[in-house]
Amino acid sequence: MRETCDVTIAGGGIIGCAIAHRLLTEGRRVVMVDRGASLGGAASSAAMGGIITESDELCLGPLHDLAERSRELYPAWLNSIIGLSGIDIPLLSSGALQIALDDEESYRLHEKIVPRWIANGARVTPFPGSRCYAWNRC
C-alpha cells in the first residue's frame, strides 16, 4: 500500500514543528523530513527559529509590524501547546536589555534604535554612564 500525505515539511526545527502542529490541527496529513536524529536538535537550538530582536536593522522597517503581530499571537499559541503537552512553558515578556560593545554600536543604538522603540510605545531606560538600554512593552 502506498502512503500519501497532504504536506511534506523539510526540517524538524521549531518552525517546522509549529507548522506541522498547525496543519495537523486542521486535519492535514503531514510528513516531516529532517536530517537529524531528533527534532529540534540542529539550528533551532542555536537560532531560536529565526526570532530576531527589535534592535536588528530588519525590524526597523516593515518587519516591525510582523514582529508586533507575532508577539500578540504568541501567548495564545503557547497556551495551546501547554494544553496539549501538559508541560508548563514560562513566557518572559518583561522586555530586553540591549548593550552596545563599541562606539559605533552605541551611536546606532542611541540614534536609530532607541527612538524607534519609543515611537512604537516602548518604555526605554538608559543606564547612565554606560552603553546599555533596557526596554519594556508598556
Side-chain angles (χ1 to χ4, degrees), residues 76-94:
W77 179 80
L78 187 61
N79 283 334
S80 73
I81 298 299
I82 293 168
L84 288 170
S85 68
I87 299 170
D88 187 31
I89 305 166
L91 174 62
L92 302 175
S93 60
S94 58

Side-chain angles (χ1 to χ4, degrees), residues 12-105:
I14 188 68
I15 300 301
C17 288
I19 292 168
H21 170 260
R22 177 62 181 255
L23 292 170
L24 288 166
T25 63
E26 294 174 359
R28 305 278 180 91
R29 293 171 297 170
V30 177
V31 171
M32 294 183 73
V33 180
D34 191 84
R35 68 179 173 187
S38 63
L39 297 178
S44 286
S45 62
M48 302 181 308
I51 298 170
I52 60 175
T53 65
E54 287 190 56
S55 62
D56 190 296
E57 291 292 333
L58 293 172
C59 259
L60 295 180
L63 189 56
H64 168 78
D65 294 336
L66 178 61
E68 185 71 25
R69 182 69 177 133
S70 295
R71 191 174 14 262
E72 291 169 6
L73 294 172
Y74 189 74
W77 179 80
L78 187 61
N79 283 334
S80 73
I81 298 299
I82 293 168
L84 288 170
S85 68
I87 299 170
D88 187 31
I89 305 166
L91 174 62
L92 302 175
S93 60
S94 58
L97 178 66
Q98 182 71 40
I99 301 170
L101 299 177
D102 58 32
D103 290 338
E104 182 180 340
E105 179 64 13

Side-chain angles (χ1 to χ4, degrees), residues 97-98 106 110 124-134:
L97 178 66
Q98 182 71 40
S106 182
H110 182 72
V124 178
T125 306
F127 291 87
S130 72
R131 296 177 173 153
C132 300
Y133 293 85

